[in-house]
Coordinates of all heavy atoms in Angstrom, one line a residue:
V39 N -1.8 26.8 -2.2 CA -1.4 26.8 -0.8 C -1.1 28.3 -0.4 O -0.4 29.0 -1.1 CB -0.1 26.0 -0.6 CG1 0.3 26.0 0.8 CG2 -0.3 24.6 -1.1
Y40 N -1.7 28.7 0.7 CA -1.6 30.1 1.2 C -0.8 30.0 2.5 O -1.0 29.0 3.3 CB -2.9 30.7 1.4 CG -3.7 30.9 0.1 CD1 -4.8 30.1 -0.2 CD2 -3.4 31.9 -0.8 CE1 -5.5 30.2 -1.4 CE2 -4.1 32.1 -1.9 CZ -5.1 31.2 -2.2 OH -5.8 31.4 -3.4
R41 N -0.2 31.1 2.9 CA 0.5 31.2 4.2 C -0.5 31.8 5.2 O -1.0 32.9 4.9 CB 1.8 32.0 4.2 CG 2.9 31.2 3.6 CD 4.3 31.9 3.9 NE 4.5 32.1 5.3 CZ 5.0 31.2 6.1 NH1 5.1 30.0 5.7 NH2 5.2 31.5 7.4
V42 N -0.8 31.2 6.3 CA -1.7 31.8 7.3 C -0.9 31.7 8.6 O -0.5 30.6 9.1 CB -3.0 31.0 7.4 CG1 -3.9 31.6 8.5 CG2 -3.8 31.1 6.1
E43 N -0.7 32.8 9.3 CA 0.1 32.8 10.5 C -0.9 32.9 11.7 O -2.1 33.3 11.5 CB 1.1 33.9 10.5 CG 2.1 33.6 9.4 CD 3.3 34.6 9.3 OE1 3.2 35.6 10.0 OE2 4.2 34.4 8.6
D44 N -0.4 32.7 12.9 CA -1.1 32.8 14.2 C -2.0 31.5 14.5 O -2.7 31.5 15.5 CB -2.0 34.0 14.3 CG -1.2 35.3 14.0 OD1 0.0 35.4 14.4 OD2 -1.8 36.2 13.3
M45 N -1.9 30.5 13.7 CA -2.5 29.2 14.1 C -1.6 28.5 15.0 O -0.4 28.3 14.7 CB -2.8 28.3 12.8 CG -3.8 28.9 11.9 SD -4.3 27.7 10.6 CE -2.8 27.6 9.6
H46 N -2.1 28.0 16.1 CA -1.2 27.3 17.1 C -1.6 25.9 17.4 O -0.8 25.2 18.1 CB -1.1 28.2 18.4 CG -0.7 29.6 18.1 ND1 0.6 29.9 17.7 CD2 -1.3 30.8 18.2 CE1 0.7 31.2 17.6 NE2 -0.4 31.7 17.8
C47 N -2.8 25.5 17.0 CA -3.2 24.1 17.4 C -4.3 23.6 16.5 O -4.7 24.3 15.5 CB -3.8 24.2 18.9 SG -5.3 25.3 18.9
E51 N -6.6 25.3 13.4 CA -6.8 24.8 12.0 C -8.2 24.6 11.7 O -8.7 25.0 10.6 CB -6.1 23.4 11.9 CG -4.6 23.5 12.1 CD -3.9 22.1 12.2 OE1 -4.7 21.1 12.4 OE2 -2.7 22.0 12.2
K68 N -7.7 22.5 3.8 CA -6.9 21.8 4.9 C -5.9 22.8 5.4 O -5.2 23.5 4.6 CB -6.2 20.6 4.3 CG -5.4 19.9 5.3 CD -4.7 18.6 4.7 CE -3.9 17.8 5.7 NZ -3.8 18.2 7.1
A69 N -5.9 23.0 6.7 CA -5.0 23.9 7.4 C -3.9 23.1 8.2 O -4.2 22.1 8.7 CB -5.8 24.8 8.3
S70 N -2.7 23.7 8.2 CA -1.7 23.1 9.0 C -1.0 24.2 9.9 O -0.4 25.1 9.4 CB -0.6 22.5 8.1 OG 0.6 22.2 8.9
A71 N -1.2 24.1 11.2 CA -0.7 25.1 12.1 C 0.9 25.0 12.1 O 1.6 26.0 12.2 CB -1.2 24.8 13.5
S72 N 1.4 23.8 12.1 CA 2.9 23.6 12.1 C 3.6 24.2 10.9 O 4.7 24.7 11.0 CB 3.2 22.1 12.3 OG 2.7 21.4 11.2
A73 N 2.9 24.1 9.8 CA 3.5 24.6 8.5 C 3.0 26.0 8.2 O 3.5 26.7 7.3 CB 3.2 23.7 7.4
N74 N 2.0 26.5 9.0 CA 1.4 27.8 8.7 C 0.8 27.9 7.3 O 1.0 28.9 6.6 CB 2.4 29.0 8.9 CG 2.8 29.2 10.3 OD1 1.9 29.1 11.2 ND2 4.0 29.5 10.6
T75 N 0.2 26.8 6.9 CA -0.4 26.8 5.6 C -1.9 26.5 5.6 O -2.4 25.9 6.5 CB 0.3 25.8 4.7 OG1 0.1 24.5 5.3 CG2 1.7 26.1 4.4
L76 N -2.6 27.0 4.5 CA -3.9 26.7 4.2 C -4.0 26.2 2.8 O -3.6 27.0 1.9 CB -4.8 27.9 4.4 CG -6.3 27.8 4.0 CD1 -7.0 26.7 4.7 CD2 -7.0 29.1 4.1
T77 N -4.4 25.0 2.6 CA -4.4 24.4 1.2 C -5.8 24.4 0.7 O -6.7 23.9 1.4 CB -3.8 23.0 1.2 OG1 -2.5 23.1 1.7 CG2 -3.7 22.5 -0.2
T97 N -3.6 35.9 10.4 CA -2.8 36.7 9.5 C -2.7 36.0 8.2 O -2.1 34.9 8.2 CB -1.5 37.0 10.2 OG1 -1.7 37.6 11.5 CG2 -0.6 37.9 9.3
K99 N -1.0 35.7 4.6 CA 0.2 36.2 3.9 C 0.3 36.0 2.4 O 1.3 36.1 1.8 CB 1.4 35.6 4.6 CG 1.6 35.9 6.1 CD 2.1 37.4 6.1 CE 2.7 37.7 7.5 NZ 3.2 39.0 7.6
G100 N -0.8 35.5 1.9 CA -0.8 35.2 0.4 C -0.3 33.9 0.1 O -0.2 33.0 1.0
K101 N 0.0 33.6 -1.2 CA 0.4 32.3 -1.7 C 1.7 31.9 -1.0 O 2.6 32.7 -0.9 CB 0.5 32.3 -3.2 CG -0.8 32.4 -3.8 CD -0.7 32.2 -5.3 CE -2.2 32.4 -5.9 NZ -2.1 32.4 -7.4
A102 N 1.8 30.7 -0.7 CA 3.1 30.1 0.0 C 4.2 29.9 -1.1 O 3.9 29.8 -2.2 CB 2.8 28.8 0.7

Side-chain angles (χ1 to χ4, degrees):
V39 180
Y40 297 103
R41 285 193 57 77
V42 176
E43 297 182 352
D44 307 322
M45 292 188 292
H46 303 292
C47 63
E51 293 171 352
K68 181 176 181 359
S70 169
S72 59
N74 290 321
T75 58
L76 171 62
T77 304
T97 306
K99 294 287 195 178
K101 290 183 181 174

